[in-house]
Amino acid sequence: LFLEAWKRKSNVISFRWNTDDADMVQPFRPEFIAHKGLSQRRGLYTSRGFVPVDEDMRLPTVPYYSETRRACVMAANFAVTLLLVAVVTAAVLGVFAFKLVLRASRAPVLHLEPAWAANVAALLNTLVISFMNLVWAHVSLYLNHLEVHRSDMDFEKSLAVKTFAFQFVNSYISLFYLAFVAGLRVNLFGVHTESGEPLRDECPVPADTAMGTEPDCLYALHVQMRMLILIRQGVRHLQVLAPLLFAAVRPWLCRWWRNEAPPHARKDARLLERVQLELDRPRYPGTFTEFQEQVLQFGYLSLFAVAYPLGAALCFVNNVLERKTDAAKVLLLCRRPRAHRANGIGIWLPILSFLSILAVFTNTAVLLLSSRALRELGLSPRGLAYVCLAVEHTVFLFKIGLARLIPDTPLWVEAEKARRAFFVRKLQLEREVNQAQEDAKVASDQDMEGARPSGAAMANQDRFDDDETPGSS
């Protein structure tokens, strides 16, 4: 429902702002024009790429970067991405191995109960995820510059795909492990107890006895999601509020240190000084980071919604507050951003659609595999798999039917577009008719001018008529 509502709202905004054709013409990036590996070719760029034309079509030459070279660079970038994904996977599995060590250790300093060990592992996982996301933010930007994209839209699309592919593994692998692997009690890490028996990873017993006294993977998933959502939201607000607090305290610090107020705090500050102070602010980095965080948040809430239902309410409150903090960041901490025309959110919409489809499978599997009611029925693993497939197909068909029933564009928008297209076509026809009438009138006047005799011919005709008059001498 959220995605269908967003599609309708996006089409309405695009229609009202007249940005339906915003993606048809994309200017060259300055970095693309300044690249040394460019050549000049005759052709034009479309939404599908460069289209070469013949020499006799009289089109100007445009900067061109070899598609083969770009494909080689992208293949190398893909290898680097896979390497970092392997590093992330090893780091996350290492955290779970450390959790087993905490549980198996007999030392009083290291030994923890399973419930506390789960909380410590969740905290470490959150720190590892945040650190690797920070590293990837710089690495992906460097790799994306190597691909020499022509337009900002192509650059952001490629960067979004790289970022999502990495962060999907980095942010969700621990949740997938807790949901589908930890309950199998497999000895993945080679950790043994002091007696030599393999220490198998298993889900912890809930700390609250009201939730049961048996190992519960849903409880471990709940703890991990709670830690991820709360810490990531706190860090995001701290990144904005800390500079705002420093900007508010700075006048008082300057007054205390220098015994005077800074230029922007004086009432007699001239306009030029205020403009210079705003010019010294950093440029607005764009909305890419905000979209990235919102997509990750949507993934947490949709992929494992059954594990932490309260997360949706927390994220709603966070987003309401973040609207204010982001507005303050744009107004007080950055230069005035430049406006760019767009007809939607671009590549992020297919990514959100992918997460919504995957959420049907993950939530169904988590709910059925961890349901105590189904376990009490005594179903075999095959019977449980059949029930899971039946429920998943039912929910998936309902999702497809709902998407078909709700049109992406409201009816009044389609009617208004048809009305505008009709009037545009009518004006074009009237212009063509008027032009044809003017051309016919000009041609008629030229024919009349050609049929009318010239002045010399008329004088000769008059002389001839005088000679032919009877009685003339």
Side-chain angles (χ1 to χ4, degrees):
L1 285 177
F2 167 75
L3 289 181
E4 297 303 322
W6 171 250
K7 291 176 184 177
R8 292 173 63 87
K9 185 176 181 60
S10 177
N11 288 326
V12 170
I13 294 175
S14 178
F15 170 74
R16 287 177 174 173
W17 292 358
N18 195 24
T19 58
D20 293 330
D21 58 343
D23 295 340
M24 296 180 63
V25 180
Q26 289 290 329
F28 293 147
R29 299 180 69 240
E31 295 85 354
F32 176 78
I33 298 176
H35 196 268
K36 297 180 180 180
L38 297 181
S39 60
Q40 295 292 325
R41 292 190 61 180
R42 195 177 300 276
L44 69 160
Y45 286 96
T46 64
S47 58
R48 296 185 178 181
F50 181 77
V51 179
V53 298
D54 298 332
E55 296 293 334
D56 56 351
M57 293 190 66
R58 295 184 178 181
L59 285 178
T61 59
V62 293
Y64 175 76
Y65 186 75
S66 175
E67 295 293 339
T68 305
R69 185 182 301 177
R70 181 181 287 118
C72 294
V73 174
M74 293 178 69
N77 292 347
F78 180 72
V80 175
T81 304
L82 287 181
L83 177 62
L84 288 178
V85 166
V87 171
V88 167
T89 305
V92 172
L93 294 180
V95 170
F96 286 109
F98 179 69
K99 180 185 71 173
L100 293 182
V101 172
L102 292 179
R103 289 172 49 189
S105 176
R106 297 301 180 89
V109 179
L110 294 178
H111 179 71
L112 289 177
E113 295 297 327
W116 283 101
N119 283 276
V120 172
L123 178 60
L124 291 177
N125 262 327
T126 304
L127 296 178
V128 169
I129 289 171
S130 301
F131 175 74
M132 293 305 298
N133 281 341
L134 184 62
V135 171
W136 179 251
H138 295 84
V139 173
S140 62
L141 194 61
Y142 174 75
L143 296 179
N144 216 48
H145 278 294
L146 296 178
E147 297 176 359
V148 194
H149 293 284
R150 178 185 65 90
S151 62
D152 289 334
M153 185 180 67
D154 296 336
F155 183 86
E156 292 186 0
K157 183 184 297 185
S158 178
L159 184 61
V161 171
K162 289 186 184 65
T163 302
F164 174 74
F166 176 83
Q167 292 191 347
F168 180 84
V169 178
N170 184 37
S171 302
Y172 305 136
I173 186 174
S174 60
L175 301 178
F176 277 98
Y177 175 83
L178 291 173
F180 305 113
V181 180
L184 300 178
R185 304 185 73 250
V186 179
N187 185 19
L188 295 177
F189 311 108
V191 180
H192 293 76
T193 60
E194 294 181 356
S195 60
E197 297 180 358
L199 183 62
R200 304 182 185 275
D201 191 13
E202 60 181 3
C203 300
V205 177
D208 187 2
T209 56
M211 300 179 64
T213 57
E214 298 180 359
D216 192 355
C217 293
L218 197 62
Y219 169 74
L221 196 60
H222 169 87
V223 172
Q224 181 69 55
M225 284 195 60
R226 180 180 61 192
M227 197 73 68
L228 282 170
I229 290 176
L230 292 178
I231 291 181
R232 289 181 69 91
Q233 289 179 358
V235 170
R236 288 174 62 184
H237 285 295
L238 185 62
Q239 289 175 347
V240 178
L241 293 178
L244 287 175
L245 182 62
F246 177 75
V249 176
R250 183 185 175 188
W252 302 94
L253 293 177
C254 293
R255 182 177 300 175
W256 173 77
W257 183 258
R258 297 181 179 178
N259 240 350
E260 62 179 0
H264 67 276
R266 296 197 304 262
K267 295 183 179 179
D268 59 343
R270 294 178 298 177
L271 179 62
L272 184 60
E273 293 178 346
R274 295 172 183 259
V275 172
Q276 183 63 40
L277 288 172
E278 292 185 3
L279 185 62
D280 293 337
R281 295 175 182 173
R283 293 182 178 180
Y284 181 63
T287 57
F288 183 85
T289 304
E290 280 75 11
F291 273 116
Q292 169 190 330
E293 292 293 338
Q294 292 300 321
V295 167
L296 288 178
Q297 184 188 95
F298 180 80
Y300 285 129
L301 298 181
S302 61
L303 294 178
F304 303 98
V306 296
Y308 191 43
L310 184 61
L314 293 177
C315 290
F316 175 77
V317 175
N318 168 78
N319 293 340
V320 172
L321 296 176
E322 193 170 356
R323 290 178 59 186
K324 302 298 183 181
T325 56
D326 285 345
K329 178 178 68 174
V330 174
L331 292 175
L332 303 176
L333 300 180
C334 303
R335 300 181 195 173
R336 180 181 298 178
R338 294 192 309 168
H340 296 279
R341 298 179 75 244
N343 60 357
I345 60 176
I347 192 63
W348 297 110
L349 185 58
I351 291 176
L352 291 173
S353 300
F354 167 75
L355 289 175
S356 67
I357 294 173
L358 185 61
V360 175
F361 300 95
T362 55
N363 283 287
T364 304
V366 170
L367 185 61
L368 294 180
L369 292 177
S370 60
S371 175
R372 297 178 183 174
L374 290 177
R375 284 182 292 184
E376 292 175 356
L377 292 177
L379 293 176
S380 63
R382 179 175 295 182
L384 188 61
Y386 287 154
V387 172
C388 182
L389 285 175
V391 174
E392 173 265 319
H393 278 67
T394 303
V395 176
F396 192 67
L397 290 176
F398 176 76
K399 180 183 183 308
I400 295 177
L402 196 63
R404 295 290 185 182
L405 290 176
I406 301 176
D408 294 342
T409 305
L411 183 61
W412 69 270
V413 174
E414 294 183 352
E416 188 64 23
K417 285 183 178 180
R419 177 176 172 273
R420 290 186 180 184
F422 170 76
F423 281 111
V424 169
R425 182 57 181 164
K426 182 179 179 181
L427 291 175
Q428 290 177 349
L429 291 175
E430 290 178 356
R431 186 178 302 172
E432 292 175 0
V433 169
N434 293 335
Q435 186 66 33
Q437 291 177 352
E438 291 179 1
D439 293 342
K441 184 178 180 181
V442 171
S444 177
D445 293 342
Q446 291 177 353
D447 292 341
M448 292 179 63
E449 289 289 340
R452 184 182 302 171
S454 61
M458 293 179 64
N460 293 333
Q461 182 67 29
D462 293 339
R463 189 179 300 111
F464 178 77
D465 293 341
D466 293 341
D467 293 340
E468 293 293 327
T469 302
S472 60
S473 56

